Amino acid sequence: MKRFYFQQIQRSGDFVTLDSDESRHVSVVLRQVAGDEVELFDGSGCYYRARIESVGKTVQTRILEKRTEKQDTSPQLWLALADLKGKKLDLVIQKSTELGVHTLLPFFSCRSQGRKTSERKQTLRARRRKIVESACKQCGRLTLMDIIDDLSFEQMIERTSNMDDCLKLMLWEKEHQHSFEQLRSQLVKKRVLLMVGPEGGFSEAEVNVARGSGWQTIGMGKRILRAETAAISAVTIAQFQLGGL
């Protein structure tokens, strides 16, 4: 059954009017018609069995049944990621959503190759949210991944400094003593934060600041990975260790 996203503002009683993008997907791409059943989700953890009532410029559906899934009890996984250039960040947003990351914190480090975009915050939020929505539809996730507005390295450190019952892990290519395998016994916190640097890596000063704020450096073996590869690999390993995969 095909799945479509909606916001609660689009709902009136048992009726949901899909937005223009989703309506086009229903009518033009999938060529579905009135009477077809679809699945709807609103990003809150619930999903709905619904029937298409009418197809036009917008598609109206009627909710037939509300469903919920068993709550995930594994620790939340957060990802702090140095901003990436081009569409690399879009790729990490997509894959992080699919892999179950709870919150993404993009930040600018001193060696970030990405540039602070001139795109307005509202437009940037909307574009990133669309990537998250699309990834949720594809993988069956019922809650949207949160994305914090871009921060500086210092702001990110400050924002995460007072998080209680949290394991904070900073990926660093010069760390050869600590790895995910050695830290398995510590992955029992309510929340795990991963920090991944830019293509040029973290500066020594940034590593020292992070360590002073409770971050523990870990390595990922002998290979030097691209930033987007490191982020996706680290999330996958952490989720496996946490029981999220």
Side-chain angles (χ1 to χ4, degrees):
M1 190 179 298
K2 298 298 182 181
R3 168 177 289 198
F4 303 96
Y5 173 75
F6 75 97
Q7 299 183 53
Q8 282 296 327
I9 194 173
Q10 298 166 237
R11 179 175 178 177
S12 177
D14 288 337
F15 292 92
V16 174
T17 301
L18 300 181
D19 66 20
S20 57
D21 288 340
E22 292 287 57
S23 293
R24 183 180 181 280
H25 194 199
V26 170
S27 60
V28 178
V29 179
L30 299 175
R31 298 187 179 278
Q32 293 191 282
V33 297
D36 288 350
E37 288 196 4
V38 295
E39 189 172 280
L40 306 177
F41 77 107
D42 59 6
S44 68
C46 299
Y47 64 108
Y48 308 85
R49 184 171 66 89
R51 181 178 60 238
I52 297 174
E53 295 292 303
S54 63
V55 176
K57 288 186 177 179
T58 58
V59 171
Q60 188 175 66
T61 65
R62 182 171 187 168
I63 292 174
L64 304 176
E65 180 184 6
K66 178 180 179 180
R67 298 174 177 175
T68 57
E69 286 188 349
K70 185 178 180 180
Q71 187 175 3
D72 185 5
T73 58
S74 60
Q76 290 183 2
L77 181 61
W78 290 39
L79 174 63
L81 178 68
D83 197 40
L84 304 175
K85 62 182 179 180
K87 294 186 177 180
K88 294 179 180 180
L89 181 57
D90 292 351
L91 174 66
V92 177
I93 290 173
Q94 180 191 64
K95 300 309 175 187
S96 295
T97 302
E98 293 175 12
L99 289 166
V101 171
H102 182 276
T103 301
L104 178 68
L105 297 91
F107 67 92
F108 291 93
S109 76
C110 66
R111 294 176 180 169
S112 289
Q113 293 184 14
R115 293 289 182 265
K116 291 187 177 181
T117 179
S118 59
E119 195 173 2
R120 291 191 305 174
K121 280 188 177 182
Q122 186 174 357
T123 304
L124 185 61
R125 287 193 199 110
R127 184 172 63 81
R128 290 175 174 176
R129 185 182 177 91
K130 279 293 184 184
I131 296 172
V132 172
E133 292 171 6
S134 178
C136 284
K137 287 167 57 179
Q138 186 276 325
C139 72
R141 178 172 174 170
L142 297 179
T143 56
L144 300 184
M145 180 178 71
D146 291 331
I147 303 181
I148 307 301
D149 287 339
D150 292 352
L151 305 169
S152 67
F153 176 80
E154 293 75 18
Q155 289 171 328
M156 185 274 296
I157 291 294
E158 181 179 0
R159 190 182 185 104
T160 59
S161 61
N162 295 320
M163 289 184 173
D164 297 327
D165 198 12
C166 177
L167 178 62
K168 296 185 284 189
L169 304 175
M170 180 185 201
L171 270 66
W172 191 36
E173 70 276 7
K174 295 182 181 180
E175 177 59 70
H176 303 297
Q177 294 184 349
H178 301 290
S179 66
F180 278 106
E181 182 65 26
Q182 294 168 326
L183 293 169
R184 178 179 293 183
S185 62
Q186 298 182 45
L187 296 176
V188 293
K189 305 286 187 178
K190 292 182 179 178
R191 183 163 41 195
V192 175
L193 273 69
L194 298 177
M195 190 199 311
V196 180
E199 294 286 356
F202 289 111
S203 68
E204 295 280 352
E206 287 173 330
V207 172
N208 291 334
V209 168
R211 283 174 168 169
S213 297
W215 290 83
Q216 182 170 345
T217 53
I218 61 170
M220 289 186 64
K222 298 179 180 179
R223 294 182 178 86
I224 303 299
L225 305 177
R226 291 183 180 274
E228 67 273 22
T229 306
I232 296 169
S233 299
V235 166
T236 303
I237 294 169
Q239 283 289 51
F240 179 77
Q241 300 277 27
L242 294 169
L245 288 179

